[in-house]
Amino acid sequence: MAAMNMIEAINSAMDVALERDRAVTIFGQDVGYFGGVFRATDGLQKKYGASRVFDAPITEGGIVAVAVGMGAYGKRPVVEIQFADYIYPAADQLISEAARMRYRTGGEWWSPITVRSPYGGGIYGGQTHSQSPEGIFTHVAGLKTVIPSNPYDAKGLLLAAIEDDDPVLFFEPKRLYNGPFDGHHDRPVRPWAKHPASEVPEGHYIVPLGKAAVAREGTAVTVLAYGTMVHVALAAAEDSGIDAEILDLRTLVPLDLEAIKASVQKTGRCVVIHEATRTCGFGAELAALVQEHCFFELEAPVERVTGWDTPYPHAFEWEYFPGPKRLAEAMRRTIEI
Amino acid sequence: MTYPRNDHGIHVPMPNARPGDSADFSHHAIPPAGSVPMPPVDVAPADIHGHAFTLIRVLDEDGNAVGPWNPGLSVETLRQGLRSMMLTRAYDARMVRVQRQGKTSFYMKCTGEEAVAVAAAMALDRGDMCFPTYRQQGLLVARDWPLVDMMNQVYSNSRDRLKGRQMPVFYSSREAGFFSISGNLGTQYSQSVGWAMGAAADGDPRIAAAWIGEGATAEGDFHHALTFASVYQAPVILNIVNNQWAISSFSGIAGGERTTFAARGLAFGIPALRADGNDFLAVHAVTSWAAQRARQGLGPTLIELFTYRAEGHSTSDDPSKYRPGSEAQAWPLGDPIERLKTHLINLGAWSQAEHDDLAKALDDEVRAAGKESESYGTLSGGDRPAPSTMFDDVYKDMPAHLVAQRSQAGL
């Protein structure tokens, strides 16, 4: 065990994967010699050589295409898109190619690729360093989408993603890289060192894909969250005194529907929270599933607390970012009905 | 040459001839066979810039093999190439007929472009991975992939290895080194570079070869492929099949009006060759040259194969709406099968009678394969893959939501 922040845990996952499997190959913009603009690949090129960890040209479409081709050859590429906001040039390769390779070839070829990408807001990143595009990709059959909320899960989920034979989008909430941010932007940032999930095994372990975790047990309302919003939800419960049960979904596709059903059927109330814009966001799918599977247990309409349906603004960071106050209000409305 | 120019407004390239006009290819300079030197495979890209603006040709107007690029193939290899090209054409002819009969939904011929695929396949090693477009069925034929298997895919029948999931002609055969065809143009071009990089990383002697039409070179993936191939010196052959037409758009709309497609390689530092795509020997020679380069670790090669799409884009297309009906006959580089046939006859290794006999035998072979394939079903009748398999292979293991949906579908 070692105390790691989320960057160190992600770095450790790739180190372990490179060590265990010769097929693992890592590339992306600035990930080689420099070790990544967020330091996620620091030291890996030196340790494993430039044929296995290398810098790529600034071409997201090319990076994912080459990963698909390498995957077809038999490699296990782990590529980085520097910001999730810049994943769109690779959308054709992800949606039309990686996601469908196994299906369209009857299982003859597949894309065992992992696409890591820092995502989410709360860092004054403005329009193109803050986005949460998971809903675009959860809509695509054949892709898996994973979003960790702490160092322990980040390493275990990333190792599971790398070892998975299906293409996985691994969105890393960059606001959580250094500490568990709960939306209280006016308070000092806490480092991961003081959080129990910063105790990370140095060797190999996985956190299975498709399994949610209970971040807080409660009885009054279920909050469905992932990424930074898990910590916002914990703060909202603490601040409001509402006995919320907080599920950290961890994997959006495939989704742990059983965990969601079990919790909502117990509490009878549900609030969904995500940073992404609301309309057609992943929260819409969660709300639909909850009403479909828990209709007779629900005591109130399912609420959604999300980013507004606007591009992510710079100066209005905290009016946009769904913080603990907004979530607490939604939980209260849901309970008081 | 001069370029048509509008006095006002946007310059929109227009082909020389439209329906009702006489075909006009006078703007294409066709150098004589044998006139282009063959450089050593370790040549510096900058030293062969001229190769991107000429045409490597081996078979002359009389059907004789001339010049430094003559690959000196055995008569047996030439006959095998002729057979594969003729079989490809016979296969195409039958598949269009069955599409017209309603037995399948769609088909695409490669008429006039048979050499582009067949000669390349014969110049490559069997283990080399091909990343084709939908118009390189000749690769499968040249690698002796069973016609019945190809037809099963076209019919989406019970023996279709792609389980009825793909439109006709989007074949995939890992065993034949024929990568899965996607409807999205250009995507496979950049993927081929990744495959080649994987091989290079492992010290694997196998190489990759990719094909793209001149129309699709306008896609970003073309640029991605050349960038990555050049940066990492990937062992890949990047073929551009310039058949003059992208559905209804002539090559000028793809950016071919003022330069060649081969020339695009030069800016990336990739050696670029331009070859007569209807000349079996020229295609074989340039592919061999590029394969040697790749295998010796000398990096990628770009090859523009200059040819003509002799028929409609697909069974959904009517070329008489946008180009003269006489164009294919007027194409200055002729027909690849006729040209190789004449060459073999000149060598005293073939005759018109043998040719006619072979054509008939191949028709019979295709018909027999067709009958067998149709016995496994067609799109319009007979057996088909079990509909419940529609939910398989989305992921390696079927997730719960797909299990539930399969059940909802009553499958």
Side-chain angles (χ1 to χ4, degrees):
Chain A
M1 285 286 188
M4 295 188 199
N5 65 26
M6 197 186 274
I7 282 285
E8 289 162 342
I10 287 164
N11 181 280
S12 174
M14 287 187 278
D15 190 357
V16 169
L18 284 160
E19 183 74 45
R20 282 169 61 94
D21 184 354
R22 285 283 310 163
V24 171
T25 308
I26 292 175
F27 56 101
Q29 292 157 28
D30 303 297
V31 309
Y33 182 84
F34 179 58
V37 296
F38 291 103
R39 317 307 306 152
T41 51
D42 192 24
L44 298 179
Q45 185 181 73
K46 192 171 181 196
K47 191 167 174 186
Y48 297 99
S51 280
R52 297 191 61 201
V53 182
F54 55 90
D55 290 312
I58 305 174
T59 161
E60 292 79 7
I63 288 169
V64 175
V66 163
V68 171
M70 265 193 191
Y73 175 79
K75 294 291 183 187
R76 199 168 277 281
V78 183
V79 299
E80 177 180 304
I81 301 295
Q82 201 159 76
F83 288 86
D85 313 67
Y86 304 132
I87 202 168
Y88 309 121
D92 192 32
Q93 287 287 343
L94 286 168
I95 296 169
S96 309
E97 299 293 320
R100 298 169 186 203
M101 194 63 71
R102 184 186 296 280
Y103 191 74
R104 81 176 193 224
T105 65
E108 188 169 56
W109 265 290
W110 56 95
S111 288
I113 69 171
T114 302
V115 179
R116 291 181 41 246
S117 195
Y119 111 121
I123 57 152
Y124 283 100
Q127 294 189 26
T128 56
H129 300 82
S130 306
Q131 292 171 42
S132 299
E134 68 273 16
I136 293 171
F137 298 100
T138 54
H139 188 58
V140 179
L143 295 179
K144 294 181 177 175
T145 301
V146 176
I147 303 176
S149 70
N150 61 66
Y152 181 89
D153 283 355
K155 179 172 175 179
L157 287 167
L158 182 53
L159 276 164
I162 293 169
E163 290 167 15
D164 198 284
D165 285 335
D166 294 316
V168 181
L169 285 169
F170 192 84
F171 288 120
E172 302 166 3
K174 57 190 172 292
R175 178 69 230 213
L176 300 183
Y177 273 160
N178 294 310
F181 180 69
D182 63 10
H184 285 300
H185 54 92
D186 46 351
R187 297 179 190 169
V189 178
R190 287 172 297 156
W192 274 113
K194 294 182 178 164
H195 192 286
S198 70
E199 280 299 308
V200 176
E202 286 164 279
H204 177 267
Y205 69 95
I206 62 160
V207 172
L209 305 187
K211 292 284 173 212
V214 178
R216 183 190 190 281
E217 284 193 19
T219 55
V221 54
T222 296
V223 178
L224 303 181
Y226 49 90
T228 308
M229 294 301 114
V230 172
H231 303 280
V232 168
L234 289 166
E238 175 83 20
D239 297 351
S240 66
I242 294 172
D243 186 24
E245 176 143 300
I246 299 165
L247 282 194
D248 179 354
L249 297 176
R250 302 197 290 197
T251 303
L252 306 191
V253 178
L255 184 68
D256 191 348
L257 182 61
E258 294 309 312
I260 294 170
K261 280 159 61 177
S263 179
V264 177
Q265 285 168 0
K266 179 175 79 174
T267 63
R269 292 174 166 84
C270 181
V271 179
V272 175
I273 182 167
H274 59 58
E275 293 178 66
T277 50
R278 180 171 304 173
T279 302
C280 299
F282 192 66
E285 181 65 26
L286 292 173
L289 286 170
V290 168
Q291 72 84 22
E292 195 177 318
H293 291 276
C294 310
F295 182 80
F296 294 105
E297 290 88 358
L298 279 175
E299 305 284 344
V302 178
E303 284 235 24
R304 284 181 286 166
V305 177
T306 67
W308 308 118
D309 281 340
T310 71
Y312 205 111
H314 182 249
F316 315 118
E317 180 82 60
W318 306 117
E319 286 84 359
Y320 181 93
F321 185 91
K325 186 159 170 283
R326 271 175 62 195
L327 177 58
E329 286 163 4
M331 289 194 295
R332 191 164 294 118
R333 279 196 301 276
T334 303
I335 288 165
E336 287 171 359
I337 275 178
Chain B
M1 72 174 278
T2 57
Y3 305 108
R5 186 177 158 75
N6 301 337
D7 288 335
H8 303 287
I10 296 167
H11 170 72
V12 179
M14 293 290 173
N16 283 3
R18 286 297 195 184
D21 300 336
S22 297
D24 178 5
F25 291 115
S26 58
H27 54 297
H28 291 312
I30 308 293
S35 61
V36 179
M38 185 165 80
V41 292
D42 61 352
V43 67
D47 293 342
I48 55 161
H49 275 194
H51 282 67
F53 299 95
T54 182
L55 270 185
I56 292 166
R57 308 181 65 216
V58 174
L59 289 172
D60 68 14
E61 315 311 315
D62 302 321
N64 298 313
V66 298
W69 285 92
N70 181 0
L73 300 176
S74 71
V75 161
E76 197 37 56
T77 302
L78 294 174
R79 280 204 195 114
Q80 197 190 329
L82 182 68
R83 182 184 193 281
S84 290
M85 290 200 289
M86 291 170 72
L87 183 57
T88 303
R89 190 166 290 184
Y91 171 73
D92 276 357
R94 181 174 179 97
M95 290 295 96
V96 164
R97 274 203 305 280
V98 299
Q99 190 276 339
R100 297 303 185 211
Q101 291 163 4
K103 291 176 180 171
T104 187
S105 59
F106 181 77
Y107 192 73
M108 301 176 100
K109 294 171 112 174
C110 66
T111 310
E113 302 173 41
E114 291 88 349
V116 160
V118 170
M122 292 176 66
L124 294 168
D125 284 349
R126 174 83 183 200
D128 296 334
M129 186 59 71
C130 298
F131 289 74
T133 75
Y134 44 64
R135 222 183 290 283
Q136 277 83 48
Q137 52 267 52
L139 294 171
L140 284 168
V141 174
R143 284 182 165 177
D144 295 322
W145 193 250
L147 292 183
V148 173
D149 192 77
M150 295 168 69
M151 290 169 168
N152 291 343
Q153 196 282 327
V154 170
Y155 285 133
S156 287
N157 67 20
S158 58
R159 299 278 181 103
D160 173 11
R161 288 179 309 109
L162 309 187
K163 304 174 188 176
R165 295 172 189 158
Q166 280 269 51
M167 269 178 76
V169 315
F170 291 2
Y171 311 105
S172 173
S173 172
R174 192 174 187 126
E175 198 182 330
F178 187 98
F179 191 71
S180 160
I181 292 172
S182 158
N184 297 66
L185 294 184
T187 49
Q188 82 292 339
Y189 211 58
S190 41
Q191 291 165 4
S192 74
V193 179
W195 195 97
M197 288 168 67
D202 282 3
D204 183 334
R206 294 179 297 162
I207 65 172
W211 284 260
I212 197 169
E214 92 285 350
T217 62
E219 293 280 7
D221 283 288
F222 176 74
H223 185 276
H224 303 159
L226 268 61
T227 301
F228 274 82
S230 174
V231 168
Y232 303 104
Q233 289 294 289
V236 61
I237 304 173
L238 296 166
N239 295 293
I240 301 167
V241 183
N242 178 1
N243 67 12
Q244 316 303 320
W245 291 95
I247 307 186
S248 75
S249 297
F250 91 115
S251 59
I253 292 292
E257 206 179 24
R258 283 168 172 73
T259 185
T260 67
F261 291 93
R264 284 148 167 75
L266 301 179
F268 292 83
I270 297 175
L273 306 177
R274 196 160 175 269
D276 177 347
N278 291 14
D279 178 340
F280 179 90
L281 295 174
V283 177
H284 195 290
V286 294
T287 307
S288 296
W289 189 87
Q292 283 180 55
R293 275 180 48 76
R295 265 187 248 290
Q296 291 176 29
L298 296 166
T301 305
L302 185 79
I303 303 173
E304 175 183 348
L305 299 151
F306 200 63
T307 181
Y308 183 80
R309 194 193 78 208
E311 302 233 3
H313 165 70
S314 72
T315 51
S316 305
D317 179 43
D318 175 5
S320 72
K321 301 280 195 246
Y322 51 81
R323 70 184 191 187
S326 60
E327 261 199 3
Q329 287 71 48
W331 178 243
L333 299 177
D335 177 88
I337 293 176
E338 287 302 309
R339 286 175 66 192
L340 186 57
K341 178 187 87 175
T342 304
H343 177 58
L344 271 164
I345 290 172
N346 290 354
L347 291 175
W350 198 239
S351 68
Q352 187 61 49
E354 282 177 289
H355 194 80
D356 294 341
D357 287 348
L358 177 59
K360 187 172 178 313
L362 294 176
D363 277 343
D364 291 345
E365 185 180 332
V366 170
R367 192 175 308 112
K371 280 192 176 146
E372 183 186 339
S373 179
E374 290 187 29
S375 76
Y376 307 135
T378 69
L379 187 64
S380 54
D383 291 342
R384 60 174 187 149
S388 64
T389 61
M390 177 167 72
F391 296 91
D392 295 342
D393 300 323
V394 180
Y395 298 93
K396 186 178 184 185
D397 301 311
M398 193 181 294
H401 70 283
L402 285 180
V403 174
Q405 287 174 28
R406 186 177 61 187
S407 168
Q408 272 178 11
L411 302 169

